[in-house]
Amino acid sequence: MDNVKALHKIIPFFQFFSDKKYTKSTFSSDVVAGLTVGVILIPQAIAYALLMGVPPIYGLYACLVPLVLYAFFGSSMQLSIGPVAVTAILVMSSVSQLAEPFSAKFVELALFASFLIGVLQIIMSILRMGFLVNLISQPVISGFISAAAIIIIVSQLEESLGIGIPNFKYTHQTVWYSLRHLSEVNWITILICVSSIIIIVALKKWKRSFPGALTVLVISTLLTYFFKLNENGVSIIKDVPSGLPSFNIPEMEYATMMSLIPAVLTVTFIGYVGSIGIAKSMEMKNRDHVVRPNQELFALGIAKVIGAFFQAVPSSGSYSRTAINDEAGAKTTVSSIIAAVLVLLSLLFLTSFFYYIPKAVLAAIILVSVFGLINFSEAKHLFELRRRDFIVMIITFFGTLIFGVENGIFIGVILSFVFLQYYSSRPHIAELVNIPGTTYYRNINRFPDALQSTEYLIIRFDNQLYFGNASFFKDTIQEYITKRKPVPKFLILDNTNMHDIDSTGLHVLEDIYQYTQGLGVQLLMVGTIGPVRDFLKRSGFTDRLGVSYYYLTISDAVDYAENRTIHETKHEAAVQFNKKRRSFLE
């Protein structure tokens, strides 16, 4: 029984059938959802492959082995993985610096990058390091994705306008070149692109699960074939080889690996953050399964590692396809297998029909998918809610546009940590005063009419006490005391919000104790939580101060300061410490 549970934990797919809850009705729902996603996935896979800089066939290859592997190892019932726009532009941006897009070398590097991303995700899963994605804050992600969407839109100007645009390093160069060569546009190409966008959007509004992209792709391909539009300047994708991917080991060199590290790290984190976010949203919506972050890392990683040997470029979770998969009635990851089967059939029998697909239609599919990634509402919300998060988002946005995708997210992460460190080094410290007629003590700045005693000074510190803010804590305490005339007889330190303390914080606490002793002020400690009590006990500070000067509540400490009332049983609880063996790092 334990072995079965262990197997289900590693390969959640088998759990669907072990409890006999998987019925014909469930299978029918999965088939419908899989077919629905499949007809949407095929044109998107072709479009995103071109966006990535690889031939269209590699986008379809990415919808075979990775989808099946995720179906077996993934913990989300509805998540649909495959080529996505943001991952595609990340790979294109990085690998294009090492090889010419669409060249054999470029494809090799893209496959090697997929392998490395998968290996890193598997390592993170084994080490249970899914928490590391929390290093990228939501404002950074929003700013980055919004900028990436604009970069993607600009990258499609060549296909949507029908003009040849050189490969520029910066986005603004591409825009400027396009504006200066507007007289060279192909109006048939523009008409195909614009009309495709209008039809896809209209069909999506009519029915979200309707394969609007596939419908437009089929119609435009037929029009191109019958009216020979390719002879009038309309660019088409031409030959797409048929058949299944062969087993191939990507060329792996240490120097190449080091060159790909920035892209590997960026795609690993951004792809996982997006995928786990989508999976969690489906979990909350359906409440029929539990998404396990570290298992998701493993599933996404194994899909990329093995997929790379079968010529699958990097893939991630897609919000739009996942939403359609859920709306179409997907109950399990069997739907992903059905979608993969549909792609397999198209590779075997339909690739000859891909020859006349206009690139303008593929550009339209990409443009429709990324327009919604530009998050104006989030920027407005952050501006009204918290300005520093808004600043992080905007700087990440412009940093990505100006300096590139890898550098942009790096700028955002660094800026987030600068803000975090700044505010952590200057935490909130408040003087508390008694609200008349109650036993409550609140911030004097919020309740200026409350009672301030000349006998005691109550200070609340709202953070961990560590090396980053210890000096600020000490200086602030001394400033509060020196401002009081006469000097109070007691300093009551409210520690209820001090959730941790390190050795530097301990030294500062001892300095404050010595400082108050020199002034004839008695230090009283209130509400010290368990982990901090344990630390103070081990350090000897508890005994140096004296157990009789620790209190559970401010009221008890005030009672002692005003009336010298001693509550011995309460003192015992206030200095209780954990005698159990602690962890190595504590």
Side-chain angles (χ1 to χ4, degrees):
M1 190 66 178
D2 291 338
N3 291 335
V4 173
K5 287 183 178 180
L7 179 64
H8 290 170
K9 191 173 182 180
I10 298 172
I11 310 177
F13 183 81
F14 292 140
Q15 191 171 359
F16 304 151
F17 308 98
S18 64
D19 53 11
K20 297 182 180 181
K21 290 182 180 179
Y22 196 83
T23 63
K24 288 183 179 179
S25 175
T26 306
F27 179 69
S28 297
S29 297
D30 283 338
V31 169
V32 172
L35 292 174
T36 304
V37 171
V39 296
I40 293 168
L41 178 59
I42 291 170
Q44 285 190 347
I46 295 171
Y48 294 148
L50 294 175
L51 177 60
M52 190 179 291
V54 298
I57 192 70
Y58 291 96
L60 295 173
Y61 289 163
C63 303
L64 294 178
V65 174
L67 263 70
V68 174
L69 287 171
Y70 180 82
F72 277 87
F73 293 99
S75 63
S76 173
M77 300 284 200
Q78 288 85 27
L79 182 66
S80 175
I81 72 166
V84 295
V86 174
T87 299
I89 197 66
L90 283 169
V91 174
M92 174 63 161
S93 174
S94 178
V95 179
S96 61
Q97 299 176 28
L98 306 175
E100 185 70 23
F102 301 102
S103 66
K105 181 65 174 177
F106 189 98
V107 173
E108 279 287 327
L109 291 174
L111 295 176
F112 187 29
S114 183
F115 173 81
L116 292 174
I117 294 164
V119 169
L120 180 57
Q121 289 181 328
I122 291 173
I123 292 172
M124 290 174 63
S125 171
I126 294 172
L127 298 178
R128 307 188 68 81
M129 296 173 67
F131 70 91
L132 285 178
V133 299
N134 296 326
L135 298 178
I136 306 177
S137 66
Q138 188 59 43
V140 171
I141 295 172
S142 297
F144 168 77
I145 291 179
S146 295
I150 291 178
I151 293 173
I152 292 170
I153 291 169
V154 171
S155 73
Q156 296 305 299
L157 288 176
E158 179 173 1
E159 309 300 349
S160 57
L161 297 178
I163 59 176
I165 301 176
N167 290 325
F168 293 109
K169 184 177 182 180
Y170 299 108
T171 302
H172 69 274
Q173 293 175 310
T174 304
V175 174
W176 179 240
Y177 182 91
S178 302
L179 292 174
R180 288 192 293 114
H181 293 79
L182 283 177
S183 59
E184 303 172 13
V185 300
N186 185 293
W187 291 104
I188 299 177
T189 299
I190 293 178
L191 180 62
I192 292 173
C193 183
V194 173
S195 59
S196 297
I197 291 173
I198 293 172
I199 295 171
I200 292 172
V201 171
L203 290 174
K204 185 179 290 187
K205 287 187 176 180
W206 171 62
K207 189 176 182 181
R208 190 173 185 179
S209 61
F210 186 84
L214 183 64
T215 302
V216 169
L217 184 141
V218 170
I219 294 172
S220 61
T221 302
L222 292 173
L223 290 174
T224 303
Y225 173 76
F226 285 113
F227 293 100
K228 306 297 181 184
L229 297 181
N230 55 305
E231 297 178 2
N232 293 294
V234 175
S235 180
I236 57 176
I237 67 172
K238 299 184 179 179
D239 289 315
V240 176
S242 62
L244 302 180
S246 59
F247 181 83
N248 179 58
I249 300 177
E251 184 179 337
M252 302 181 186
E253 296 179 356
Y254 177 77
T256 304
M257 181 181 72
M258 297 309 296
S259 301
L260 290 172
I261 286 298
V264 168
L265 292 174
T266 307
V267 175
T268 297
F269 283 92
I270 292 297
Y272 175 66
V273 168
S275 298
I276 195 67
I278 298 165
K280 283 289 187 182
S281 68
M282 290 296 108
E283 175 193 16
M284 293 179 64
K285 178 177 181 291
N286 295 304
R287 300 183 183 279
D288 57 354
H289 64 286
V290 176
V291 172
R292 293 181 282 129
N294 287 302
Q295 181 66 25
E296 286 299 293
L297 267 174
F298 180 79
L300 293 168
I302 200 72
K304 290 183 181 69
V305 168
I306 298 179
F309 294 126
F310 291 92
Q311 304 177 63
V313 291
S315 56
S316 300
S318 165
Y319 182 79
S320 60
R321 292 196 299 270
T322 299
I324 291 169
N325 192 36
D326 179 58
E327 289 175 4
K331 303 299 181 184
T332 70
T333 53
V334 170
S335 64
S336 290
I337 297 177
I338 300 298
V341 170
L342 191 61
V343 174
L344 182 147
L345 294 174
S346 71
L347 281 168
L348 291 176
F349 305 111
L350 301 177
T351 53
S352 59
F353 295 99
F354 296 162
Y355 185 94
Y356 286 97
I357 294 177
K359 290 184 178 179
V361 173
L362 300 177
I365 292 170
I366 292 171
L367 292 173
V368 169
S369 68
V370 301
F371 280 143
L373 298 179
I374 305 174
N375 206 338
F376 294 107
S377 60
E378 179 71 5
K380 181 182 177 182
H381 175 68
L382 290 178
F383 183 80
E384 295 172 349
L385 183 67
R386 175 152 286 182
R387 300 287 170 82
R388 66 172 180 259
D389 286 347
F390 171 78
I391 292 171
V392 169
M393 178 180 178
I394 293 301
I395 292 180
T396 303
F397 174 81
F398 283 108
T400 303
L401 283 181
I402 296 171
F403 300 109
V405 286
E406 292 96 349
N407 293 329
I409 198 165
F410 178 75
I411 290 169
V413 170
I414 294 298
L415 187 62
S416 293
F417 275 93
V418 168
F419 273 117
L420 176 65
Q421 186 59 39
Y422 175 78
Y423 284 100
S424 180
S425 67
R426 301 176 62 83
H428 183 254
I429 299 178
E431 178 184 353
L432 306 184
V433 289
N434 178 242
I435 298 176
T438 72
T439 57
Y440 299 116
Y441 295 83
R442 295 294 183 265
N443 190 339
I444 190 173
N445 294 325
R446 294 179 178 269
F447 299 90
D449 296 329
L451 301 177
Q452 184 183 58
S453 173
T454 57
E455 288 288 307
Y456 53 82
L457 168 65
I458 307 174
I459 298 295
R460 189 187 69 216
F461 180 71
D462 296 330
N463 208 325
Q464 61 176 326
L465 183 57
Y466 76 116
F467 66 91
N469 59 30
S471 295
F472 177 77
F473 172 74
K474 177 181 175 180
D475 294 342
T476 305
I477 294 292
Q478 291 177 344
E479 184 179 350
Y480 270 113
I481 293 175
T482 55
K483 282 184 178 179
R484 291 288 293 269
K485 302 296 181 184
V487 174
K489 296 178 182 178
F490 296 91
L491 170 62
I492 301 175
L493 190 58
D494 180 7
N495 300 324
T496 52
N497 294 334
M498 186 189 293
H499 58 273
D500 196 13
I501 182 171
D502 68 0
S503 57
T504 307
L506 174 65
H507 284 302
V508 165
L509 199 58
E510 290 175 334
D511 289 344
I512 290 173
Y513 175 51
Q514 292 176 5
Y515 173 75
T516 54
Q517 277 189 315
L519 295 176
V521 178
Q522 177 61 57
L523 176 63
L524 305 180
M525 303 280 277
V526 171
T528 308
I529 67 170
V532 177
R533 290 200 307 269
D534 296 342
F535 182 83
L536 296 180
K537 179 66 176 179
R538 291 198 303 270
S539 70
F541 183 83
T542 299
D543 297 324
R544 282 195 295 277
L545 177 62
V547 295
S548 59
Y549 297 119
Y550 282 81
Y551 296 87
L552 287 174
T553 68
I554 295 176
S555 296
D556 291 339
V558 168
D559 196 18
Y560 173 78
E562 291 180 339
N563 307 310
R564 305 301 187 271
T565 304
I566 297 176
H567 306 278
E568 302 224 356
T569 55
K570 293 185 179 181
H571 287 317
E572 292 176 7
V575 294
Q576 178 275 340
F577 69 97
N578 192 351
K579 298 180 182 179
K580 294 181 181 180
R581 187 172 63 180
R582 65 185 192 272
S583 67
F584 176 75
L585 294 177
E586 284 186 298

